[in-house]
Short mmCIF file of all heavy atoms in Angstrom, two decimals:
data_model
loop_
_atom_site.label_atom_id
_atom_site.label_comp_id
_atom_site.label_asym_id
_atom_site.label_seq_id
_atom_site.Cartn_x
_atom_site.Cartn_y
_atom_site.Cartn_z
N LYS A 720 -3.46 -9.41 3.18
CA LYS A 720 -3.77 -8.60 4.35
C LYS A 720 -2.80 -8.99 5.50
O LYS A 720 -2.34 -8.20 6.26
CB LYS A 720 -5.21 -8.87 4.79
CG LYS A 720 -5.62 -8.19 6.06
CD LYS A 720 -7.07 -8.43 6.45
CE LYS A 720 -7.37 -7.84 7.79
NZ LYS A 720 -8.71 -8.22 8.24
N ASP A 721 -2.50 -10.35 5.56
CA ASP A 721 -1.63 -10.84 6.62
C ASP A 721 -0.14 -10.71 6.20
O ASP A 721 0.13 -10.38 4.95
CB ASP A 721 -1.98 -12.29 6.94
CG ASP A 721 -3.41 -12.40 7.48
OD1 ASP A 721 -3.79 -11.49 8.25
OD2 ASP A 721 -4.06 -13.38 7.16
N ASP A 722 0.74 -11.09 7.02
CA ASP A 722 2.16 -11.09 6.70
C ASP A 722 2.47 -12.19 5.72
O ASP A 722 1.99 -13.32 5.78
CB ASP A 722 2.96 -11.24 7.98
CG ASP A 722 2.80 -10.02 8.91
OD1 ASP A 722 2.23 -9.05 8.52
OD2 ASP A 722 3.22 -10.18 10.09
N LEU A 723 3.41 -11.91 4.84
CA LEU A 723 3.87 -12.82 3.77
C LEU A 723 5.00 -13.68 4.32
O LEU A 723 5.99 -13.12 4.83
CB LEU A 723 4.27 -12.08 2.57
CG LEU A 723 4.78 -12.91 1.40
CD1 LEU A 723 3.64 -13.66 0.80
CD2 LEU A 723 5.28 -12.02 0.34
N ASP A 724 4.90 -15.03 4.26
CA ASP A 724 5.96 -15.88 4.71
C ASP A 724 7.03 -16.05 3.63
O ASP A 724 6.90 -15.52 2.57
CB ASP A 724 5.36 -17.23 5.13
CG ASP A 724 6.27 -17.95 6.18
OD1 ASP A 724 7.30 -17.40 6.58
OD2 ASP A 724 5.84 -19.07 6.63
N PHE A 725 8.05 -16.82 3.86
CA PHE A 725 9.24 -16.92 3.02
C PHE A 725 8.96 -17.73 1.67
O PHE A 725 9.81 -17.55 0.77
CB PHE A 725 10.41 -17.56 3.77
CG PHE A 725 10.22 -19.00 3.98
CD1 PHE A 725 10.75 -19.93 3.05
CD2 PHE A 725 9.50 -19.55 5.04
CE1 PHE A 725 10.63 -21.33 3.24
CE2 PHE A 725 9.37 -20.90 5.23
CZ PHE A 725 9.89 -21.78 4.27
N GLU A 726 7.91 -18.43 1.57
CA GLU A 726 7.74 -19.27 0.38
C GLU A 726 7.73 -18.54 -0.93
O GLU A 726 8.43 -18.94 -1.89
CB GLU A 726 6.41 -20.08 0.43
CG GLU A 726 6.44 -21.23 1.48
CD GLU A 726 5.93 -20.87 2.82
OE1 GLU A 726 5.67 -19.64 3.07
OE2 GLU A 726 5.77 -21.74 3.66
N ALA A 727 7.06 -17.35 -0.94
CA ALA A 727 7.09 -16.56 -2.20
C ALA A 727 8.51 -16.06 -2.53
O ALA A 727 8.86 -16.05 -3.71
CB ALA A 727 6.15 -15.38 -2.04
N ILE A 728 9.27 -15.72 -1.53
CA ILE A 728 10.64 -15.29 -1.77
C ILE A 728 11.48 -16.48 -2.24
O ILE A 728 12.28 -16.36 -3.20
CB ILE A 728 11.24 -14.71 -0.42
CG1 ILE A 728 10.43 -13.52 -0.01
CG2 ILE A 728 12.69 -14.41 -0.59
CD1 ILE A 728 10.70 -13.06 1.44
N ALA A 729 11.33 -17.64 -1.65
CA ALA A 729 12.05 -18.80 -2.06
C ALA A 729 11.77 -19.23 -3.50
O ALA A 729 12.69 -19.58 -4.23
CB ALA A 729 11.81 -19.99 -1.08
N ILE A 730 10.54 -19.13 -3.87
CA ILE A 730 10.13 -19.56 -5.21
C ILE A 730 10.73 -18.53 -6.24
O ILE A 730 11.29 -18.96 -7.25
CB ILE A 730 8.61 -19.63 -5.32
CG1 ILE A 730 8.07 -20.88 -4.59
CG2 ILE A 730 8.17 -19.74 -6.82
CD1 ILE A 730 6.58 -20.87 -4.43
N LEU A 731 10.65 -17.26 -5.91
CA LEU A 731 11.19 -16.26 -6.82
C LEU A 731 12.70 -16.44 -6.88
O LEU A 731 13.33 -16.36 -7.99
CB LEU A 731 10.80 -14.86 -6.40
CG LEU A 731 11.17 -13.77 -7.35
CD1 LEU A 731 10.26 -13.85 -8.63
CD2 LEU A 731 11.02 -12.38 -6.74
N HIS A 732 13.36 -16.64 -5.75
CA HIS A 732 14.80 -16.83 -5.72
C HIS A 732 15.24 -18.04 -6.60
O HIS A 732 16.19 -17.93 -7.34
CB HIS A 732 15.24 -17.01 -4.27
CG HIS A 732 16.70 -17.30 -4.12
ND1 HIS A 732 17.18 -18.51 -3.77
CD2 HIS A 732 17.78 -16.50 -4.40
CE1 HIS A 732 18.53 -18.50 -3.76
NE2 HIS A 732 18.88 -17.24 -4.11
#
Side-chain angles (χ1 to χ4, degrees):
K720 178 181 176 186
D721 297 324
D722 295 347
L723 181 67
D724 206 0
F725 74 93
E726 286 93 352
I728 299 167
I730 291 169
L731 190 69
H732 178 249

